[in-house]
Amino acid sequence: MIYKILFLIGLTFVTSSCVWKDSFTQKFFQNSRLDVSQNGILLNSRMSSSQAQREVFPNISEAEGGIINVKDYGAKGNGVTDDTEAFKQAMSRDEIANGSKIIYVPNGTYIVSNTIEWPKGSHSGLYYKRTTLLGETREGSIIRLVNNNPKFSTGESKPVLDTKDNRANGFRNRIENLTVHVGAGNKDAIGIRINSNNGGGIFNVSIISGDGQGDRGLDLTSTEIGPLLIKNVSVEGFKRGILVGGGTTNSLTMENITLMNQNQVGIEQVMQVLTIRNLKSINSVPAVFVKGHGATFTLSGAELQGSGGETAIITEYRQDGRETPGERRTINVFLSDIKQSGYQNTGEIYNCETGQLETLKGNIEEWSCGSPLTGFSTQNKMLKLPVKETPDIPHDLNNIIVVEGNTGADIQAAIDTPGVKTVFLPNQTYEVSEPILIRGSVKKIIGMRARFSLDSVDPIFRFEEGDEPIVMIERMEGPSIEHNSQRTLVIKHAWLKSYQNTDNGIGDLFLEDIVSENVKIHHQNAWARSLNVEGLPTDSEPKILNDGGQLWILGLKTEKPGTILETRNNGSTVVQGGFIYINSDIPDTTPPQAQYINDNSRVAIITRSYLPTATGYEVLVRETKENTTKDIINPNRRKLEKIFPYLGY
């Protein structure tokens, strides 16, 4: 058992405009809350405190499982030198593709003159996946395109950052904690074009046009893009702030989005399933434009400020005016808690039951285009469960430890070191033969995209009582976690084998950017953002179980057969937006599999199903009230594409 402990004392915070005198202390300094504005406008006032998060890492080499620092490849970040080639040398190498690498961008202004692309890999299974581009701070790590660049004014749109395409297979790509500035005079520039599947996304990022021009700030149009999460993102300028597309497969979830000064539209959505919580738009043009067959839009919480615009939210099937009522009924919209000022209308939206256009005015408490399947209940509105924001925990930089070795015993020894607060797991594969107990003084365990062997014990981590009220686990691939504490647990940016809690493990749970085979909570409060469950459960088990707890999900995605979610023992469950990808037949069983089960509980679910070739669920919902059970039958198992509003208790 070998491990390394580092104590960092007397560090001083300096602003991003200063020059670092010491390359070692550059990697470690205190977190600080900042209010940073562009052109006099405060960026994303709705964001959580994580917008000022400082990401820092131990000073270990890439070969030892450390981060890849762009400055080690010649990047200057001085606002003068062209750093394009340095970025390419750091992150476009085939040998790091699919290696769960973190490319780190210390504070500085990095001038680029061409597109920065993801590592491709040596064959299609490795293409453009499992790579993270991570800045030190959102406000201080700036990638800036040179002004009047002819490569970005050719008549064809061109991104500054591009993860490239790997259809439905570009797993867990992430861009975090930085600013992309497309300069001025670059009319065809795209700030970021990202594709990610089964997790990943963009977090704590600003995308800015220096002169308000440019084609789009954020491009989300890769074929079969998602599921992914876009959180704490602001876009200023461009024709279109965010463009969503990629066909009818998979889904996108967004939270805390700010749009300002777009020329055509804030968000344009073509097809896809898009779920947004907390949208702020300051524009004279429409905030949202939804169009195309099967487009599904869920918006919960919005502040839409117009200046003389006609309509804030618009739906449209085709612009030639020849669409039929049947086509218009395929567009599905759910709105809640919408505040609007400065527009004549809040919405011009097709009703998915009638195909007719409805005009919505003023603030909207709740509006849905479809009648809910309420079963026993007379409930007809979304449950109002309390929503908590995901806690943010800064590193305690005076008490960190780096695990050396690749066993569970090495990790346990690091956790049990007296006084340690933050544990780093280098980028490698770990073998675990006994559960690792999270206890003592530790408050944060950061896997530098660490991986766990599939042969490891289950559970790999057991969360026990300890000194800190909140503990965070992040950036890991493959652990199973058992919650055996009354403390709060936060799990972010991870692929889990499983999560469950014990009778004693009733502390709050937060899941963010999570892929898991299954999730089971018992008498626990849980909040999940972008949750993708793809396990194949036994006939009697659901993929997600809420046994007497309170569960809120923003953006659910799943595939494969099996009951997706069961709520029982007077539990409460809300699913705000999601995508059920039925890509294999739901088998005929006795009794038939139910898509959802509500057993004497309160449930509200808004999801859309897509069946490319498969046969769907025979039972949409199996409801039990007191001692009576009733099945809500699927009237068309071969085509269930409409939004699914189910409100029942």
Side-chain angles (χ1 to χ4, degrees), residues 99-164:
S100 298
K101 300 296 186 181
I102 296 174
I103 292 89
Y104 184 64
V105 184
N107 277 355
T109 298
Y110 299 84
I111 302 299
V112 297
S113 56
N114 210 340
T115 300
I116 307 301
E117 296 181 352
W118 252 227
K120 184 176 182 180
S122 57
H123 61 80
S124 60
L126 301 181
Y127 285 172
Y128 309 122
K129 63 200 298 184
R130 292 189 177 99
T131 300
T132 297
L133 182 66
L134 176 64
E136 185 175 334
T137 67
R138 167 187 174 130
E139 295 82 8
S141 299
I142 302 169
I143 299 173
R144 194 186 193 285
L145 183 65
V146 297
N147 294 339
N148 304 310
N149 189 328
K151 297 186 184 74
F152 290 81
S153 296
T154 64
E156 294 186 7
S157 58
K158 182 177 174 65
V160 176
L161 296 182
D162 190 359
T163 66
K164 306 294 287 186

Side-chain angles (χ1 to χ4, degrees), residues 209-499:
S209 169
D211 59 0
Q213 303 305 305
D215 189 73
R216 67 202 79 153
L218 176 57
D219 184 298
L220 300 165
T221 63
S222 292
T223 303
E224 298 188 3
I225 187 174
L228 58 77
L229 177 62
I230 310 294
K231 182 173 181 179
N232 293 347
V233 170
S234 65
V235 183
E236 183 176 358
F238 301 94
K239 293 178 184 177
R240 294 167 288 188
I242 301 175
L243 179 59
V244 175
T248 55
T249 303
N250 291 346
S251 56
L252 306 170
T253 303
M254 300 184 184
E255 187 175 37
N256 300 341
I257 305 298
T258 296
L259 306 169
M260 294 177 290
N261 303 326
Q262 276 74 55
N263 302 313
Q264 293 182 0
V265 65
I267 298 176
E268 182 175 326
Q269 176 191 357
V270 184
M271 299 184 177
Q272 265 288 0
V273 174
L274 176 59
T275 302
I276 305 177
R277 175 178 179 261
N278 288 352
L279 169 66
K280 184 171 185 178
S281 174
I282 304 171
N283 270 301
S284 59
V285 297
V288 181
F289 183 20
V290 181
K291 62 182 181 180
H293 179 86
T296 300
F297 180 60
T298 301
L299 178 60
S300 177
E303 183 181 340
L304 310 178
Q305 299 178 22
S307 55
E310 184 175 342
T311 305
I313 303 172
I314 299 171
T315 65
E316 189 173 85
Y317 185 75
R318 290 189 300 198
Q319 292 180 308
D320 58 14
R322 296 183 297 168
E323 72 275 12
T324 68
E327 292 170 329
R328 295 195 293 263
R329 286 198 293 268
T330 69
I331 299 178
N332 302 273
V333 176
F334 177 88
L335 306 173
S336 65
D337 188 24
I338 311 299
K339 295 179 173 59
Q340 183 268 112
S341 62
Y343 290 100
Q344 296 179 36
N345 305 316
T346 307
E348 293 282 345
I349 301 175
Y350 287 126
N351 187 308
C352 62
E353 290 191 316
T354 67
Q356 301 303 309
L357 199 64
E358 293 191 17
T359 299
L360 310 179
K361 293 183 176 292
N363 296 337
I364 299 172
E365 179 183 353
E366 188 168 304
W367 185 90
S368 175
C369 69
S371 298
L373 296 171
T374 55
F376 290 115
S377 175
T378 58
Q379 175 185 337
N380 58 13
K381 287 189 175 182
M382 177 61 66
L383 295 177
K384 299 296 185 182
L385 294 185
V387 179
K388 288 186 178 181
E389 305 305 318
T390 304
D392 184 43
I393 304 175
H395 309 331
D396 185 329
L397 301 179
N398 293 315
N399 297 281
I400 76 166
I401 193 167
V402 179
V403 174
E404 289 190 355
N406 65 348
T407 70
D410 296 322
I411 299 171
Q412 187 69 70
I415 290 173
D416 289 343
T417 302
V420 71
K421 294 296 184 181
T422 303
V423 176
F424 287 92
L425 278 65
N427 183 332
Q428 62 178 343
T429 300
Y430 294 83
E431 302 276 351
V432 180
S433 58
E434 294 184 5
I436 301 165
L437 306 182
I438 302 174
R439 58 194 178 188
S441 57
V442 167
K443 65 179 180 180
K444 201 165 188 179
I445 302 176
I446 302 174
M448 297 159 72
R449 301 205 67 168
R451 304 171 296 281
F452 289 87
S453 167
L454 295 177
D455 296 327
S456 293
V457 69
D458 188 9
I460 289 176
F461 287 102
R462 180 173 290 130
F463 182 44
E464 302 283 3
E465 299 300 345
D467 300 339
E468 294 290 335
I470 303 174
V471 174
M472 179 180 292
I473 302 173
E474 64 176 33
R475 304 187 190 282
M476 297 187 186
E477 298 265 326
S480 51
I481 298 176
E482 183 179 79
H483 195 145
N484 188 41
S485 169
Q486 298 185 37
R487 300 188 289 163
T488 294
L489 179 61
V490 181
I491 310 172
K492 295 174 62 176
H493 307 319
W495 169 60
L496 305 179
K497 188 175 180 181
S498 64
Y499 170 87

